[in-house]
PDB file of all heavy atoms in Angstrom:
ATOM      1  N   GLN L  80     290.005  36.046 174.115  1.00 93.00           N
ATOM      2  CA  GLN L  80     289.909  36.949 175.256  1.00 93.00           C
ATOM      3  C   GLN L  80     291.180  37.772 175.427  1.00 93.00           C
ATOM      4  O   GLN L  80     291.109  38.930 175.845  1.00 93.00           O
ATOM      5  CB  GLN L  80     289.589  36.164 176.524  1.00 93.00           C
ATOM      6  CG  GLN L  80     288.166  35.663 176.548  1.00 93.00           C
ATOM      7  CD  GLN L  80     287.766  35.087 177.882  1.00 93.00           C
ATOM      8  OE1 GLN L  80     288.405  35.335 178.899  1.00 93.00           O
ATOM      9  NE2 GLN L  80     286.690  34.313 177.881  1.00 93.00           N
ATOM     10  N   LEU L  81     292.332  37.195 175.113  1.00 92.00           N
ATOM     11  CA  LEU L  81     293.576  37.979 175.167  1.00 92.00           C
ATOM     12  C   LEU L  81     293.543  39.093 174.125  1.00 92.00           C
ATOM     13  O   LEU L  81     294.003  40.209 174.386  1.00 92.00           O
ATOM     14  CB  LEU L  81     294.793  37.078 174.941  1.00 92.00           C
ATOM     15  CG  LEU L  81     295.220  36.225 176.130  1.00 92.00           C
ATOM     16  CD1 LEU L  81     296.315  35.257 175.711  1.00 92.00           C
ATOM     17  CD2 LEU L  81     295.697  37.093 177.277  1.00 92.00           C
ATOM     18  N   GLN L  82     293.010  38.807 172.954  1.00 90.00           N
ATOM     19  CA  GLN L  82     292.891  39.835 171.924  1.00 90.00           C
ATOM     20  C   GLN L  82     291.946  40.953 172.365  1.00 90.00           C
ATOM     21  O   GLN L  82     292.117  42.102 171.977  1.00 90.00           O
ATOM     22  CB  GLN L  82     292.366  39.231 170.614  1.00 90.00           C
ATOM     23  CG  GLN L  82     293.415  38.506 169.828  1.00 90.00           C
ATOM     24  CD  GLN L  82     292.846  37.976 168.527  1.00 90.00           C
ATOM     25  OE1 GLN L  82     291.681  37.598 168.450  1.00 90.00           O
ATOM     26  NE2 GLN L  82     293.674  37.936 167.503  1.00 90.00           N
ATOM     27  N   GLN L  83     290.958  40.608 173.161  1.00 89.00           N
ATOM     28  CA  GLN L  83     290.008  41.606 173.652  1.00 89.00           C
ATOM     29  C   GLN L  83     290.589  42.427 174.798  1.00 89.00           C
ATOM     30  O   GLN L  83     289.953  43.355 175.279  1.00 89.00           O
ATOM     31  CB  GLN L  83     288.722  40.922 174.119  1.00 89.00           C
ATOM     32  CG  GLN L  83     287.945  40.309 172.997  1.00 89.00           C
ATOM     33  CD  GLN L  83     286.779  39.468 173.496  1.00 89.00           C
ATOM     34  OE1 GLN L  83     286.622  39.250 174.693  1.00 89.00           O
ATOM     35  NE2 GLN L  83     285.975  38.982 172.567  1.00 89.00           N
ATOM     36  N   GLY L  84     291.804  42.073 175.248  1.00 87.00           N
ATOM     37  CA  GLY L  84     292.469  42.867 176.271  1.00 87.00           C
ATOM     38  C   GLY L  84     292.303  42.358 177.685  1.00 87.00           C
ATOM     39  O   GLY L  84     292.641  43.062 178.636  1.00 87.00           O
ATOM     40  N   LYS L  85     291.802  41.149 177.858  1.00 90.00           N
ATOM     41  CA  LYS L  85     291.631  40.615 179.211  1.00 90.00           C
ATOM     42  C   LYS L  85     292.964  40.117 179.747  1.00 90.00           C
ATOM     43  O   LYS L  85     293.843  39.694 178.996  1.00 90.00           O
ATOM     44  CB  LYS L  85     290.611  39.487 179.211  1.00 90.00           C
ATOM     45  CG  LYS L  85     289.237  39.980 178.815  1.00 90.00           C
ATOM     46  CD  LYS L  85     288.174  39.113 179.343  1.00 90.00           C
ATOM     47  CE  LYS L  85     286.826  39.744 179.015  1.00 90.00           C
ATOM     48  NZ  LYS L  85     285.769  38.807 179.162  1.00 90.00           N
ATOM     49  N   THR L  86     293.106  40.155 181.059  1.00 90.00           N
ATOM     50  CA  THR L  86     294.346  39.697 181.693  1.00 90.00           C
ATOM     51  C   THR L  86     294.265  38.191 181.940  1.00 90.00           C
ATOM     52  O   THR L  86     293.192  37.582 181.848  1.00 90.00           O
ATOM     53  CB  THR L  86     294.565  40.411 183.039  1.00 90.00           C
ATOM     54  OG1 THR L  86     293.505  40.063 183.925  1.00 90.00           O
ATOM     55  CG2 THR L  86     294.639  41.916 182.862  1.00 90.00           C
ATOM     56  N   SER L  87     295.396  37.611 182.288  1.00 90.00           N
ATOM     57  CA  SER L  87     295.460  36.173 182.559  1.00 90.00           C
ATOM     58  C   SER L  87     294.543  35.797 183.716  1.00 90.00           C
ATOM     59  O   SER L  87     293.846  34.777 183.657  1.00 90.00           O
ATOM     60  CB  SER L  87     296.892  35.755 182.883  1.00 90.00           C
ATOM     61  OG  SER L  87     297.739  36.015 181.811  1.00 90.00           O
ATOM     62  N   ASP L  88     294.538  36.611 184.759  1.00 91.00           N
ATOM     63  CA  ASP L  88     293.692  36.325 185.922  1.00 91.00           C
ATOM     64  C   ASP L  88     292.212  36.360 185.562  1.00 91.00           C
ATOM     65  O   ASP L  88     291.430  35.532 186.031  1.00 91.00           O
ATOM     66  CB  ASP L  88     293.978  37.308 187.052  1.00 91.00           C
ATOM     67  CG  ASP L  88     295.364  37.122 187.646  1.00 91.00           C
ATOM     68  OD1 ASP L  88     295.908  36.000 187.541  1.00 91.00           O
ATOM     69  OD2 ASP L  88     295.896  38.101 188.205  1.00 91.00           O
ATOM     70  N   GLU L  89     291.828  37.307 184.731  1.00 93.00           N
ATOM     71  CA  GLU L  89     290.429  37.389 184.315  1.00 93.00           C
ATOM     72  C   GLU L  89     290.023  36.169 183.497  1.00 93.00           C
ATOM     73  O   GLU L  89     288.915  35.642 183.655  1.00 93.00           O
ATOM     74  CB  GLU L  89     290.189  38.662 183.490  1.00 93.00           C
ATOM     75  CG  GLU L  89     290.280  39.940 184.281  1.00 93.00           C
ATOM     76  CD  GLU L  89     290.222  41.178 183.402  1.00 93.00           C
ATOM     77  OE1 GLU L  89     290.545  41.104 182.202  1.00 93.00           O
ATOM     78  OE2 GLU L  89     289.845  42.231 183.949  1.00 93.00           O
ATOM     79  N   ILE L  90     290.922  35.700 182.656  1.00 94.00           N
ATOM     80  CA  ILE L  90     290.625  34.531 181.825  1.00 94.00           C
ATOM     81  C   ILE L  90     290.509  33.277 182.688  1.00 94.00           C
ATOM     82  O   ILE L  90     289.585  32.477 182.520  1.00 94.00           O
ATOM     83  CB  ILE L  90     291.691  34.367 180.722  1.00 94.00           C
ATOM     84  CG1 ILE L  90     291.621  35.551 179.756  1.00 94.00           C
ATOM     85  CG2 ILE L  90     291.515  33.052 179.981  1.00 94.00           C
ATOM     86  CD1 ILE L  90     292.758  35.629 178.777  1.00 94.00           C
ATOM     87  N   VAL L  91     291.435  33.116 183.626  1.00 93.00           N
ATOM     88  CA  VAL L  91     291.388  31.948 184.509  1.00 93.00           C
ATOM     89  C   VAL L  91     290.129  31.995 185.368  1.00 93.00           C
ATOM     90  O   VAL L  91     289.461  30.967 185.555  1.00 93.00           O
ATOM     91  CB  VAL L  91     292.667  31.863 185.370  1.00 93.00           C
ATOM     92  CG1 VAL L  91     292.520  30.814 186.451  1.00 93.00           C
ATOM     93  CG2 VAL L  91     293.876  31.573 184.500  1.00 93.00           C
ATOM     94  N   ASP L  92     289.769  33.172 185.859  1.00 93.00           N
ATOM     95  CA  ASP L  92     288.534  33.305 186.645  1.00 93.00           C
ATOM     96  C   ASP L  92     287.306  32.947 185.814  1.00 93.00           C
ATOM     97  O   ASP L  92     286.376  32.299 186.302  1.00 93.00           O
ATOM     98  CB  ASP L  92     288.396  34.719 187.202  1.00 93.00           C
ATOM     99  CG  ASP L  92     289.409  35.010 188.296  1.00 93.00           C
ATOM    100  OD1 ASP L  92     289.975  34.051 188.859  1.00 93.00           O
ATOM    101  OD2 ASP L  92     289.655  36.213 188.572  1.00 93.00           O
TER     102      ASP L  92
END
Side-chain angles (χ1 to χ4, degrees):
Q80 288 190 18
L81 283 173
Q82 281 182 327
Q83 292 172 354
K85 296 204 175 164
T86 63
S87 299
D88 292 335
E89 291 172 337
I90 295 170
V91 170
D92 290 342

